[in-house]
Amino acid sequence: MSDLHIRHATHSDIDAVLQFWRGAAEGTSISDDHDGVARLIARDPEALLLAERDGFLTGTVIAGFDGWRCSAYRLAVHPDHRRQGIATALLEAAEQRFAALGGRRVDAMVLEANEQAHQTWAAAGYHREDHWRRWVKPF
């Protein structure tokens, strides 16, 4: 993985990230637009982590911390670069960020139907908590 570079996203990355998610991420979010990602970067410039190999975007994860909880979103790896340790490297970078901020546990948003993602998260030491459900209200 020495040729893999992980860095924080900047405003100039937004369009590339949105295009990347359309091909590499499962599902969409109400915030998957230029303004949503711009707000994320403006509020927390270190939250959106990008993995690159030879200047090519190969993976992402949002490592958000609100002072109370550590949350991981949008872990995605380009289909042509899966099973090469990129998700593991991104999660390690996110966990290092959380530890430096004083976090104690990571909550990850994982689509129920994405079996491949379940295996990835489990391999990284995460487990599913069935007694919780997410409740949402778009506005």
Side-chain angles (χ1 to χ4, degrees):
M1 271 302 127
S2 62
D3 62 336
L4 187 70
H5 175 67
I6 296 178
R7 66 175 179 87
H8 305 115
T10 66
H11 285 277
S12 64
D13 295 309
I14 294 173
D15 291 333
V17 167
L18 290 168
Q19 182 178 356
F20 176 82
W21 285 342
R22 283 192 289 275
E26 293 288 327
T28 59
S29 165
I30 195 169
S31 301
D32 286 355
D33 59 25
H34 194 277
D35 290 341
V37 178
R39 276 191 301 277
L40 170 66
I41 292 171
R43 184 185 178 284
D44 188 349
E46 297 182 357
L48 177 51
L49 301 173
L50 307 180
E52 295 176 325
R53 180 173 282 145
D54 298 323
F56 179 77
L57 181 58
T58 58
T60 67
V61 70
I62 298 173
F65 183 65
D66 62 9
W68 179 261
R69 287 202 171 90
C70 305
S71 299
Y73 306 94
R74 281 292 183 226
L75 176 63
V77 175
H78 189 282
D80 295 340
H81 294 267
R82 291 182 179 157
R83 307 213 35 91
Q84 298 176 25
I86 295 169
T88 299
L90 283 164
L91 289 176
E92 287 173 0
E95 291 167 5
Q96 289 172 7
R97 175 176 199 261
F98 294 144
L101 293 170
R104 296 184 275 174
R105 183 184 88 171
V106 181
D107 291 332
M109 298 298 298
V110 182
L111 287 173
E112 196 64 29
N114 190 342
E115 297 286 332
Q116 185 176 14
H118 299 178
Q119 295 171 13
T120 300
W121 286 98
Y126 290 75
H127 67 276
R128 178 179 161 151
E129 287 189 337
D130 289 329
H131 60 279
W132 295 104
R133 287 290 182 257
R134 181 170 87 154
W135 292 39
V136 300
K137 178 184 176 184
F139 57 92

